[in-house]
Amino acid sequence: MSEDRHATAPLAVVTGATAGLGLETAKGLAAQGYRVIITARNVERGELACHAIRAHTPRATVRHEALDLDSLESVRDFAARLKRDEPSLERLINNAGIMALPRLERTRNGFERQLGVNYLGHFLLTSELLPLLTAATAPRVVQLSSLAHRGGRIAFDDLNGETHYDPWRAYRQSKLAMLLFAQALQKQSDAQGWGLKSLAAHPGLSRTALFDAGVKSRPVIGSVFKLTLPLISQSAAEGARPTLHAALSDHVDPGDYIGPDGLGETRGAPKRAHRARNTRDPAVEARLWEVSCELTGARWETTHPA
């Protein structure tokens, strides 16, 4: 691939792409000719991931950029660098996430950490990168949700777990928020003429390091689950297929939610996924958007500030 082609290849950003689903997603995008930026907090892990992608696709153009979704300042700094260096962004894959932290932890901005890292950081990131997305030819944003969204509830009266923290309730809330975000973003794009295709995806049950903290929060149930996981789950590469389908397929519509087609959507080939009833209240969706703007300072401007 020539340097000119490198310069004109479409750009994709994948958050949390040093391992697991994110790394497999980045590999898939690189194999399709995208220039790929993988984001992570750890520089060494970021460079190792770049080497893994190049080993998979020798001519891949990939680089690591520092981004800590635990910090809104880090999100703004990353977005500012990208807007300085790049003319447009074709694909934004909001993949990074943490699961079921056993004890209440907070981000640098004081948010419950699962809500902050899994959702609020990505909400602000998408807002900050909107000028690059709207400058692209056919931009898509993909939010990583989960089967866990089905048991989720947006606890507007206790978003940050101050009254009661439960590891899995917080995780389910964050993944429901991601799916509601995808839906709301498509509505905003349609209303504002942004030209975005906003989608969501979930990986079914995929064998990644994400489960480690989750099983620690429920030791007995977690141990049994880890024993049965190989029988009911799929690899990270297989789990990334719904995300890559959402990002790349010509057969998706704005607002689609993609997951595996196997039993209970736990594994299999990509298809349109089931949305639980808790995703269908427009008032909750609209309120979450408003609250998220207030908490993060997201402004949703399509042009660079003067």
Side-chain angles (χ1 to χ4, degrees), residues 20-217:
L21 298 170
L23 178 58
E24 297 300 331
T25 300
K27 287 179 181 178
L29 289 165
Q32 291 299 312
Y34 282 80
R35 292 185 297 124
V36 178
I37 295 175
I38 61 174
T39 75
R41 294 179 299 170
N42 185 289
V43 174
E44 183 178 355
R45 291 187 66 191
E47 291 302 323
L48 288 172
C50 289
H51 289 308
I53 294 167
R54 294 188 191 106
H56 182 265
T57 303
R59 294 188 174 186
T61 302
V62 57
R63 73 180 192 263
H64 164 256
E65 289 276 355
L67 170 63
D68 185 356
L69 290 161
D70 193 87
S71 162
L72 298 183
E73 181 180 14
S74 177
V75 171
R76 292 190 179 95
D77 287 346
F78 167 77
R81 295 196 307 272
L82 210 64
K83 286 184 284 191
R84 179 193 66 203
D85 297 337
E86 299 287 348
S88 63
L89 175 61
E90 286 285 348
R91 297 292 184 270
L92 174 59
I93 314 298
N94 288 329
N95 163 84
I98 52 179
M99 175 188 278
L101 301 178
R103 293 175 296 278
L104 175 62
E105 297 181 19
R106 298 203 178 278
T107 69
R108 296 181 199 177
N109 302 96
F111 307 130
E112 186 278 314
R113 197 155 175 253
Q114 292 183 82
L115 183 72
V117 171
N118 296 0
Y119 169 61
L120 289 172
H122 284 127
F123 186 89
L124 179 62
L125 178 66
T126 308
S127 168
E128 290 289 309
L129 294 179
L130 188 61
L132 294 183
L133 289 162
T134 56
T137 303
R140 297 188 194 184
V141 181
V142 183
Q143 316 291 353
L144 263 289
S145 187
S146 166
L147 287 169
H149 91 270
R150 298 177 183 180
R153 182 180 75 86
I154 306 300
F156 290 109
D157 57 343
D158 192 26
L159 275 176
N160 289 302
E162 294 171 351
T163 301
H164 173 66
Y165 176 74
D166 175 87
W168 284 100
R169 185 172 75 168
Y171 180 70
R172 291 192 294 265
Q173 173 179 252
S174 73
K175 288 303 177 178
L176 173 59
M178 287 294 270
L179 186 46
L180 293 174
F181 177 26
Q183 295 174 180
L185 181 60
Q186 189 61 63
K187 291 175 183 176
Q188 290 286 333
S189 177
D190 293 344
Q192 304 296 331
W194 293 339
L196 297 178
K197 189 174 281 188
S198 174
L199 306 110
H202 80 81
L205 290 179
S206 298
R207 297 185 294 276
T208 71
L210 190 65
F211 280 99
D212 290 347
V215 299
K216 289 177 184 176
S217 68

